[in-house]
Amino acid sequence: MKSDFRELKLSDLSDIQVDYFFGPSKTVEYRDMMIIKYSGEYGFGSAGNSDAIYMKAMGRAALEAWKPDAIILDWSDLKYEWGDMLEMVLDIDTGCCEPALPMAVIVGPPCEEAVRTLLLGIDSEEGLETIEWVFKNKDEAIEYIEKQLQKAGS
């Protein structure tokens, strides 16, 4: 009997590059943070749906494998113009029984305006600085995460 199964690979969903960086908190003992850096071009509109699915899956896999205490999603090199499903990547740490981990997002010129409209609404005139967990550079994101880890530890 011939099998109807075909091989699948998560990497077939997207051309987005994912890199992981892991390091200890500088202010809270025994706490680690992870930076998940996404690079490449996110598909426009619904063409990005498989990119979002891939990004979330790869983020969840990293959390399962390394179990960090906080996450920074680095989108600074992600070219993103439009597509609502990118928002699902922000939910990589949600589970049924545990509180969400402290999280920050880094944006850069290739995605900044589109992320702003995704999070604040297309008609919003507010800037990304009104969202306390979105940053334009890594150092500010790490500083924010350090403060969140301190609050959680107290």
Side-chain angles (χ1 to χ4, degrees), residues 99-150:
L101 297 174
M103 184 178 67
V105 174
I106 304 168
V107 296
C111 69
E112 183 179 335
E113 178 58 18
V115 170
R116 186 191 73 76
T117 61
L118 175 70
L119 298 177
L120 296 170
I122 194 162
D123 296 324
S124 174
E125 294 181 16
E126 291 180 82
L128 280 173
E129 64 279 352
T130 62
I131 304 172
E132 72 170 329
W133 45 270
V134 177
F135 302 92
K136 294 181 184 178
N137 72 63
K138 182 169 67 170
D139 292 338
E140 289 178 1
I142 291 171
E143 183 179 320
Y144 171 80
I145 290 297
E146 291 285 6
K147 288 178 184 173
Q148 297 304 306
L149 288 172
Q150 290 168 8

Side-chain angles (χ1 to χ4, degrees), residues 37 56 59 81 85 103 109:
K37 182 170 181 66
K56 182 173 182 174
E81 295 179 50
M85 282 188 65
M103 184 178 67

Side-chain angles (χ1 to χ4, degrees), residues 57-131:
M58 298 305 287
R60 288 184 67 93
L63 297 184
E64 186 64 30
W66 292 294
K67 306 224 182 283
D69 300 293
I71 316 158
I72 298 173
L73 302 178
D74 184 348
W75 295 347
S76 60
D77 291 330
L78 181 69
K79 184 178 180 204
Y80 165 70
E81 295 179 50
W82 191 258
D84 291 345
M85 282 188 65
L86 180 64
E87 197 167 18
M88 73 186 281
V89 181
L90 299 172
D91 294 327
I92 64 171
D93 69 326
T94 55
C96 70
C97 308
E98 297 179 19
L101 297 174
M103 184 178 67
V105 174
I106 304 168
V107 296
C111 69
E112 183 179 335
E113 178 58 18
V115 170
R116 186 191 73 76
T117 61
L118 175 70
L119 298 177
L120 296 170
I122 194 162
D123 296 324
S124 174
E125 294 181 16
E126 291 180 82
L128 280 173
E129 64 279 352
T130 62
I131 304 172

